[in-house]
């Protein structure tokens, strides 16, 4: 039994290692800062490996790992903003500079990233967890430790806001097709 | 019927687009789409927003671009280590306050790493990129210069093995010098990685300072359990 357990843990440790790219991408979508995203991914890997024994259901490894990423991110924000509660953090307006100046100059990509960077934090997290990582609403609720109803309402608001922010872009092709 | 149409909330439509609805509600929406142009327009807008988000992060700036920015910063970390050894009383806080141009998050990270002064540190390298190899050795040197009695292990797997292969390493002399100077420093190669190299027809002769563990991952898990501080390069 003991050897089986440690074999499972080794397997899980390998999977955690392999998730670095996904953690980095999502962290980047949250903070739009490559250095910080890399640090958050690193911190998540370290914490995940150190706490592997606390993982009760191995099949939920990914949502467990992204919950750790969420914790690392919140901790980072706490350090920056000192004492604030989770609700305030979630509604915190974006003070991100926006992803200008990155390698990809592709205009549409930059425009969407800028729009996402402008979303309040809680909405930004929910929409990227659902769209990039394809977690179910229940998993996102779990990862962020919020009720599922909150996941849904944040997602609605996020998509509505994105639609508003990206409207000029969306209107353009329609005008062209009219011509 | 208009009233029936308005029954679909934004939540439901989002859930439809994300494939999060039960079979029945899903069927209801599917049935309504054909007769409700407004509904189909709303769904279309949601779907395209979702696609835009996905597309925007299909390719994110590589960690590599982060590393490139990091390299010169390491010289800052090194300088700080040397300065401390030389007895100059510059704390990390002071260093961080002084260096406002550098990346705040990196300094916070390096600062917290150095400040906590763990006595057992595991550095994991899984890449043969020249700057990563150098970063690993810079890190070892900077840390041991500051915490001379710490135990430090450099664990390599995948192409990181090249750091310890005599056939490939550009750092044999540096590794030998570091190991000679620091008794508690160890270089560990992954047995799996060696086997993979050999089965691909490559020669693997390790530098004399290296020892071999069965797999890097097992070794890392064991060390982390024993309370070592783990850091991936």
């Amino acid at each position: 039994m003991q050897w089986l357990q440690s074999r499972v843990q080794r397997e899980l440790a390998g999977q955690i290692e392999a998730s670095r790219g996904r953690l980095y991408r999502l962290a980047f979508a949250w903070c739009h800062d490559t250095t910080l995203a890399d640090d958050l991914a690193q911190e998540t890997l370290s914490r995940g490996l150190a706490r592997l024994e606390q993982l009760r259901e191995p099949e939920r490894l990914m949502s467990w790992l992204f919950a750790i990423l969420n914790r690392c991110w919140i901790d980072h924000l706490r350090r920056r903003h000192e004492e604030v509660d989770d609700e305030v953090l979630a509604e915190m307006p974006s003070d991100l500079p926006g992803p200008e100046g990155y390698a990809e100059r592709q205009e549409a990509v930059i425009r969407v990233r800028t729009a996402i960077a402008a979303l309040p934090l809680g909405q930004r997290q929910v929409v990227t967890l659902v769209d990039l990582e394809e977690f179910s609403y229940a998993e996102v609720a779990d990862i962020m430790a919020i009720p599922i109803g909150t996941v849904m309402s944040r997602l609605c608001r996020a998509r509505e806001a994105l639609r508003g922010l990206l409207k000029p872009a969306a209107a353009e092709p329609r005008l062209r097709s009219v011509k | 019927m208009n009233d029936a149409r308005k029954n679909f909330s934004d939540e439901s439509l989002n859930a439809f687009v994300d494939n999060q609805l039960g079979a029945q509600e899903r069927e209801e929406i599917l049935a309504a789409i054909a007769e409700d142009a407004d509904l189909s327009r709303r769904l279309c807008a949601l779907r395209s927003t979702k696609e835009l988000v996905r597309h925007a992060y299909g390719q994110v700036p590589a960690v590599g671009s982060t590393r490139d920015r990091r390299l010169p910063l390491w010289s800052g970390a090194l300088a700080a280590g040397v300065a401390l050894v030389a007895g100059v009383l510059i704390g990390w806080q002071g260093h961080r306050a002084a260096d406002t141009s550098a990346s705040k998050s990196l300094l916070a990270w390096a600062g917290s790493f150095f400040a906590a002064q763990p006595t057992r540190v595991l550095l994991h390298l899984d890449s043969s990129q020249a700057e990563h190899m150098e970063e690993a050795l810079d890190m070892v040197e900077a840390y041991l210069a500051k915490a001379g009695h710490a135990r430090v292990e450099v664990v390599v797997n995948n192409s990181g093995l090249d750091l310890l292969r005599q056939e490939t390493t550009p750092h044999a002399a540096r590794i030998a010098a570091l190991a000679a100077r620091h008794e508690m420093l160890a270089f560990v190669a992954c047995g799996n990685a060696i086997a993979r190299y050999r089965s691909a027809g490559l020669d693997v002769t390790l530098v004399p300072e290296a020892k071999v563990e069965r797999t890097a991952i097992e070794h890392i898990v064991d060390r982390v359990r024993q309370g070592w501080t783990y850091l991936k390069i």
Side-chain angles (χ1 to χ4, degrees):
Chain A
M1 220 39 205
Q2 184 71 43
W3 70 268
L4 182 65
Q5 202 184 357
S6 65
R7 245 190 83 174
V8 169
Q9 292 219 342
R10 262 178 234 131
E11 171 63 27
L12 291 173
Q15 286 181 34
I16 289 180
E17 274 294 326
S19 313
R20 192 190 176 94
R22 285 172 62 183
L23 292 166
Y24 171 76
R25 180 174 75 148
L26 197 73
F28 176 78
W30 291 353
C31 67
H32 294 103
D33 172 332
T34 54
T35 305
L36 177 57
D38 192 30
D39 290 346
L40 289 170
Q42 161 69 44
E43 178 70 22
T44 304
L45 287 182
S46 308
R47 285 195 203 177
L49 287 172
R51 293 174 195 176
L52 202 46
E53 280 169 44
Q54 296 170 13
L55 174 63
R56 290 283 158 257
E57 301 159 74
E59 63 280 7
R60 291 186 48 238
L61 174 70
M62 279 305 140
S63 46
W64 179 77
L65 202 56
F66 279 90
I68 296 178
L69 177 66
N70 180 50
R71 229 35 256 177
C72 291
W73 171 232
I74 301 282
D75 287 350
H76 165 80
L77 294 172
R78 282 255 163 74
R79 280 195 296 272
R80 263 184 14 181
H81 294 267
E82 311 210 327
E83 286 301 307
V84 271
D85 67 33
D86 286 348
E87 274 305 305
V88 177
L89 273 184
E91 293 304 325
M92 191 177 73
S94 174
D95 60 352
L96 297 174
E100 305 294 343
Y102 284 117
E104 293 104 322
R105 287 277 158 208
Q106 225 185 321
E107 206 195 322
V109 165
I110 295 293
R111 198 161 44 205
V112 177
R113 285 187 192 167
T114 308
I116 288 175
L119 293 176
L121 179 59
Q123 295 179 30
R124 200 185 320 146
Q125 285 187 280
V126 167
V127 79
T128 50
L129 281 164
V130 170
D131 287 350
L132 300 183
E133 283 300 325
E134 299 185 335
F135 281 118
S136 70
Y137 293 175
E139 285 169 324
V140 175
D142 221 32
I143 288 169
M144 296 188 60
I146 53 178
I148 196 163
T150 309
V151 171
M152 293 172 77
S153 62
R154 280 188 193 169
L155 190 63
C156 281
R157 278 183 284 150
R159 291 215 176 112
E160 206 173 293
L162 286 176
R163 202 152 65 93
L165 288 164
L166 297 169
K167 215 166 205 161
E172 235 173 272
R174 212 180 298 152
L175 282 178
R176 247 183 245 138
S177 69
V178 165
K179 205 155 51 159
Chain B
M1 235 163 59
N2 258 352
D3 285 14
R5 288 177 191 177
K6 294 203 169 121
N7 272 346
F8 298 116
S9 65
D10 282 339
E11 272 87 354
S12 294
L13 297 192
N14 274 289
F16 178 83
V17 166
D18 295 323
N19 207 9
Q20 294 288 305
L21 283 183
Q24 197 190 337
E25 219 180 334
R26 196 177 161 74
E27 286 304 316
E28 282 172 19
I29 291 182
L30 279 171
I33 290 175
E35 302 178 2
D36 188 339
D38 181 52
L39 174 65
S40 110
R41 205 163 29 241
R42 282 164 73 198
L43 283 173
C44 192
L46 286 173
R47 195 161 278 148
S48 74
T49 306
K50 187 180 171 79
E51 279 310 313
L52 282 173
V53 173
R54 278 224 279 249
H55 179 244
Y57 298 93
Q59 277 192 316
V60 293
V63 187
S65 61
T66 308
R67 304 272 177 199
D68 294 343
R69 280 197 285 145
R70 248 181 203 188
L71 278 177
L73 288 167
W74 274 113
S75 55
L78 274 163
V82 171
L84 279 161
V85 162
V88 178
L89 288 174
I90 282 185
W92 264 101
Q93 292 302 327
H95 178 74
R96 284 158 72 176
D99 195 348
T100 47
S101 62
S103 151
K104 268 175 277 163
S105 60
L106 173 75
L107 285 174
W109 171 77
S112 63
F113 181 75
F114 279 92
Q117 284 218 23
T119 53
R120 294 173 301 172
V121 177
L122 193 71
L123 290 176
H124 177 197
L125 174 75
D126 67 353
S127 140
S128 59
Q129 278 186 44
E131 65 267 32
H132 292 182
M133 285 191 187
E134 237 163 78
E135 200 173 307
L137 294 179
D138 285 355
M139 180 85 193
V140 168
E141 200 163 271
Y143 193 62
L144 286 174
K146 184 164 185 275
H149 298 293
R151 286 183 69 186
V152 175
E153 278 187 2
V154 180
V155 181
V156 302
N157 67 344
N158 299 338
S159 63
L161 185 64
D162 287 351
L163 178 69
L164 301 181
R165 280 176 71 207
Q166 290 191 0
E167 292 86 356
T168 46
T169 184
H171 299 296
R174 193 170 174 201
I175 290 171
L178 276 169
R181 204 157 57 232
H182 301 285
E183 216 182 327
M184 310 290 261
L185 170 64
F187 292 90
V188 179
C190 173
N192 264 1
I194 295 174
R196 269 202 304 273
Y197 267 65
R198 290 195 173 133
S199 67
L202 293 166
D203 287 333
V204 180
T205 314
L206 296 179
V207 297
E209 294 76 20
K211 55 182 187 176
V212 179
E213 291 285 345
R214 213 159 69 85
T215 75
I217 289 294
E218 281 176 75
H219 185 67
I220 291 169
V221 171
D222 285 347
R223 287 305 198 206
V224 168
R225 271 205 201 132
Q226 291 160 5
W228 287 55
T229 299
Y230 168 77
L231 202 67
K232 180 144 179 198
I233 299 296

